Amino acid sequence: MTQIEKHHHQHGERSRPEIRGMLRQSGLRPTRQRIALAELLYSKGNRHISAEGLHEEALTKNVPVSLATVYNTLHQFTESGLLREVAVDGSKTYFDTNVDDHHHFFVEDDNEVMDIPHGQLGVGRVPEAPAGYEISRVDVVVRLRRIKV
């Protein structure tokens, strides 16, 4: 891996051939719509985006997809491990291109999700999973709001 490839990989940026390979590796057929949406998702580095936000971006870039297709694609990417779902409130879901274990800030004023820098938050006591279950991951969302002056 060259220095440039390492930089792009570390920051989540991927080229079209990498995207095709990534889709194939996760068992998804690289259809035109999946490739187009994956390029929007992964060309800007690690990010958090809602289905509505990605749909808007797609329309701006002349990618003709319905909101339903965007939702389906995001859920397929999540199920195959390419994205991580971050649920904020019952109504808001964001999709994270960084699938490593990490936690999030949610900025209430802006409806924006940000990563909490690695090592700044530790979860001290995790409950034991009930019989027949295992903990798949622990998600912590720290809600932020601006200080009113």
Side-chain angles (χ1 to χ4, degrees), residues 15 25 51 54 86 93 96-97 107 110:
S15 66
Q25 273 182 331
L54 184 60
V86 180
T93 301
D96 190 348
T97 58
V107 185
D110 303 332

Side-chain angles (χ1 to χ4, degrees), residues 57-78:
E57 261 182 43
L59 296 180
T60 305
K61 300 270 192 228
N62 295 318
V63 177
V65 286
S66 67
L67 183 56
T69 299
V70 171
Y71 268 105
N72 291 339
T73 303
L74 288 170
H75 287 294
Q76 290 161 355
F77 284 11
T78 302

Side-chain angles (χ1 to χ4, degrees), residues 46-62:
N46 286 331
R47 60 195 300 228
H48 308 91
I49 193 161
S50 65
E52 294 78 10
L54 184 60
H55 183 240
E56 233 169 79
E57 261 182 43
L59 296 180
T60 305
K61 300 270 192 228
N62 295 318

